[in-house]
Amino acid sequence: MKMLSRLGALGLALLVATAAPAQQPTEEERQAILEEVQQVFAAWTVQAQMQADQEMRPRLTAPAKVDIVDNAYVLTLPGFSVSDGAGQGLVVGDVTARVMPLDDKRLRMVARFPDRWRFSAVGEANEPFAADIVIGDHTVEGIMDRELALITDAVYAFRDVTATVPGEKSRLHMDELKVQVDSTKEGATDTYNIAALFHVGKVEAVGPDGGERFRMGGLRSTSSLKDMDMVRFAALTRRANQAMGAENADPAEVGAAIEALYTEMFTAFGVMAFDLTLNDVRAVDELGAEQVRIDRLSLGTRFAPTDGDRSEIGLRYGHDGLITPLFQATPELDPRAVRLDLSVANFPLKALFKTIGAAAGQQLEQTFKAAQTGAPMPTAPNDDALAAEFKAALEQSDLRLAIKTLQLKTPSLASRAAGSLAVRPGGGAVPAVGTVDLEIHGLVPTFQAVVQRPEAQQSPAVAILAILQALGKPSGKDAANPVMRYRIQLTEAGQTLINGVDLAQLGQAQQQQQQQPQQRAPANRPPVPPLQGQ
């Protein structure tokens, strides 16, 4: 997150809020842009001291400069890199950005990067590793609102990217890496709707022997912010950048600005949503054995403010065609397809932002003090008190978890669950109360097939199948393959009941049975305790 914030600050520097007039810019205006860029890099330099001097951070081989060409500002960042100062990291080279008026309210920036980069790192056993990166084509453009001093629309796209390791056959190729941001203002208000896209095209990687190691058909991620107060967010961001980039930064102001940015960010945002889709993923080892295969994976989240400082969080997840080595002994249980849709009501999102902001503010305040006095740099912040505050907010939030649907399909099983729980963080013996209904198709024949194989005896899944078969209530017309149904209840008394059977009593009965050798089940079947009340 820290690196993203720094690169975001670079974008703000490239699109500084100095009004670029249609006529020839003045020397004073040119100098203002240069000072803004230098201020950003000065802030980075101080922040880098939060950890060791070897921290990865943006660096230049010479001071940034600003020239005026055809009524536009041309910003040059000589020898730009994201590195540790000791030869490790990503070396990009000279980056230039042309900033020009688009109209009386907006500026347009077009940046150019070199087409050859260099990446260096230390691999396993402290062996140096390096890769050459070649970019076929790229587009880096952005539009900034002069009043807000924020980038409202941008496209960053790098196409036909190839990375190779000198002296080896190792190679990685990516069709496209693209980030796009679009903003729409809602009438005469200060609110905006923002949509962002992150796209990775087809990716292929081969190992040192030339054999395929990884393949991905594509990745697509979208995020959106609805009803975002851009004026407020811009003011918070500007205050934080100015505090950190000041020549004689006030540590207390730095801490306060960062804390305010995080704490008030919740009120600047409206509805937040995020979706990700991954297609055709395959990874193999050095011997060519398939380690992971995913035909399709999707993930979605949504945050919506409700009453006061609380929000409702929605989560969706799904995958198809997933195969891993984890179920080699029991391939019938390989979770080939999963669907999950749940929501959490009354989550104290503002309290979470406040906790994060207070911790970040304290850390930066201590760091700036140490940088100015020569004292040792602080390590991790002492955030026990902050964590306690957030825990207290959680305990008072009356969290409600709704499992709208949970579906699982394996080669021989199909299950579906739904229900709701009242969650009580820190609630002691009763962390949650509620009911979940579950049904499983194909359990009986699956258990009968799996339990006969000696290699599956040590799998925890076999014991779980045995308990499910013992506790389930069969239904349907097929006696050899009934639908097994379960009602799972978490009670106020702290019990976990499955179809009325207390799991704690079940565990005690199983313990007693294991202590009596003459009552143990045959070696080829896991022990199934006698049940009461089924």
Side-chain angles (χ1 to χ4, degrees):
M1 181 177 290
K2 192 177 354 177
M3 182 61 67
L4 290 176
S5 67
R6 291 175 185 170
L7 295 179
L10 174 61
L12 290 177
L14 294 176
L15 291 181
V16 66
T18 306
Q23 64 271 20
Q24 183 72 9
T26 66
E27 176 62 22
E28 181 179 358
E29 292 167 341
R30 186 185 71 85
Q31 191 64 29
I33 289 184
L34 182 58
E35 290 175 357
E36 176 73 12
V37 174
Q38 291 172 337
Q39 186 181 68
V40 169
F41 276 89
W44 284 342
T45 301
V46 176
Q47 292 178 66
Q49 298 177 20
M50 290 179 63
Q51 299 178 4
D53 291 336
Q54 303 301 310
E55 184 195 11
M56 292 286 178
R57 65 179 177 86
R59 299 173 187 269
L60 300 177
T61 57
K65 64 176 183 177
V66 175
D67 297 311
I68 300 174
V69 179
D70 297 331
N71 292 339
Y73 300 113
V74 178
L75 170 67
T76 302
L77 304 177
F80 179 76
S81 68
V82 180
S83 61
D84 64 357
Q88 296 184 44
L90 182 64
V91 177
V92 176
D94 294 349
V95 177
T96 61
R98 185 181 179 90
V99 183
M100 65 209 81
L102 185 62
D103 52 38
D104 60 346
K105 296 183 179 180
R106 298 176 298 168
L107 297 175
R108 178 172 180 259
M109 178 274 289
V110 179
R112 296 299 301 174
F113 289 74
D115 58 6
R116 293 182 180 272
W117 303 0
R118 178 82 170 182
F119 175 78
S120 302
V122 175
E124 298 179 0
N126 290 324
E127 294 182 358
F129 169 82
D132 295 321
I133 302 173
V134 178
I135 300 173
D137 185 28
H138 68 278
T139 302
V140 178
E141 298 183 0
I143 296 176
M144 187 197 73
D145 184 292
R146 292 184 177 184
E147 182 180 355
L148 295 174
L150 286 178
I151 298 174
T152 56
D153 300 87
V155 176
Y156 308 97
F158 296 87
R159 293 172 284 273
D160 192 18
V161 180
T162 302
T164 56
V165 178
E168 295 184 8
K169 295 181 180 180
S170 299
R171 176 179 178 273
L172 183 145
H173 182 266
M174 179 167 49
D175 284 352
E176 182 182 51
L177 173 64
K178 180 180 181 180
V179 178
Q180 182 170 334
V181 179
D182 298 295
S183 302
T184 305
K185 188 174 182 180
E186 295 186 348
T189 68
D190 293 336
T191 59
Y192 285 69
N193 292 333
I194 301 174
L197 165 70
F198 177 73
H199 168 73
V200 177
K202 185 178 180 181
V203 177
E204 296 177 324
V206 299
D209 59 355
E212 184 184 59
R213 293 288 184 274
F214 179 80
R215 180 184 70 215
M216 181 178 71
L219 181 153
R220 180 183 177 87
S221 170
T222 61
S223 56
S224 63
L225 290 171
K226 183 177 173 56
D227 300 330
M228 178 178 178
D229 188 338
M230 287 286 278
V231 173
R232 187 169 190 173
F233 180 70
L236 293 168
T237 304
R238 191 180 304 114
R239 178 188 174 187
N241 287 336
Q242 290 174 349
M244 290 187 294
E247 184 175 351
N248 296 307
D250 179 357
E253 171 58 20
V254 170
I258 294 299
E259 181 173 355
L261 175 61
Y262 279 93
T263 302
E264 297 187 38
M265 193 181 296
F266 174 82
T267 54
F269 288 165
V271 178
M272 297 180 283
F274 169 83
D275 291 281
L276 180 145
T277 303
L278 194 65
N279 293 302
D280 188 23
V281 177
R282 183 174 185 264
V284 300
D285 61 18
E286 293 83 354
L287 301 178
E290 190 173 66
Q291 297 298 301
V292 176
R293 187 175 77 199
I294 304 174
D295 291 342
R296 178 182 172 85
L297 183 148
S298 62
L299 175 67
T301 59
R302 184 177 184 272
F303 300 84
T306 52
D307 298 330
D309 297 341
R310 300 178 182 180
S311 294
E312 179 175 348
I313 301 176
L315 174 65
R316 292 178 291 102
Y317 171 83
H319 71 243
D320 294 295
L322 173 65
I323 297 178
T324 75
L326 299 177
F327 295 90
Q328 287 181 343
T330 55
E332 295 90 345
L333 307 181
D334 211 340
R336 300 291 178 85
V338 170
R339 296 288 183 275
L340 171 65
D341 186 356
L342 60 82
S343 65
V344 179
N346 301 325
F347 185 81
L349 189 61
K350 186 173 183 179
L352 177 61
F353 273 90
K354 181 179 179 180
T355 301
I356 296 173
Q362 290 178 11
Q363 177 81 351
L364 276 178
E365 180 177 353
Q366 294 170 10
T367 298
F368 272 72
K369 284 182 180 178
Q372 294 173 358
T373 61
M377 287 292 162
T379 54
N382 183 10
D383 53 4
D384 291 344
L386 299 174
E389 288 183 19
F390 178 63
K391 182 180 178 182
L394 271 177
E395 293 174 352
Q396 300 171 10
S397 295
D398 188 26
L399 295 181
R400 299 283 174 171
L401 172 63
I403 304 173
K404 300 177 181 178
T405 182
L406 172 56
Q407 300 179 43
L408 169 66
K409 289 186 178 181
T410 77
S412 62
L413 288 175
S415 65
R416 179 192 300 268
S420 62
L421 300 172
V423 183
R424 301 169 180 175
V430 189
V433 175
T435 301
V436 175
D437 291 316
L438 167 68
E439 65 179 41
I440 303 178
H441 300 251
L443 175 64
V444 173
T446 299
F447 175 70
Q448 292 173 349
V450 170
V451 78
Q452 300 301 324
R453 294 201 300 271
E455 67 272 17
Q457 293 301 310
Q458 301 304 316
S459 172
V462 176
I464 295 174
L465 287 178
I467 293 174
L468 288 174
Q469 176 162 302
L471 295 179
K473 289 187 175 181
S475 63
K477 299 180 180 179
D478 189 348
N481 186 16
V483 177
M484 304 297 278
R485 301 184 184 279
Y486 309 83
R487 169 151 289 189
I488 304 170
Q489 296 171 289
L490 305 181
T491 71
E492 292 282 0
Q495 298 172 299
T496 300
L497 306 178
I498 298 182
N499 288 339
V501 176
D502 190 335
L503 285 188
Q505 294 181 4
L506 180 63
Q508 293 173 3
Q510 189 174 33
Q511 253 186 347
Q512 293 173 1
Q513 186 184 48
Q514 290 173 348
Q515 292 171 0
Q516 302 174 17
Q518 69 275 15
Q519 295 184 10
R520 286 182 181 169
N524 67 332
R525 291 180 63 90
V528 180
L531 303 175
Q532 301 294 328
Q534 184 172 337

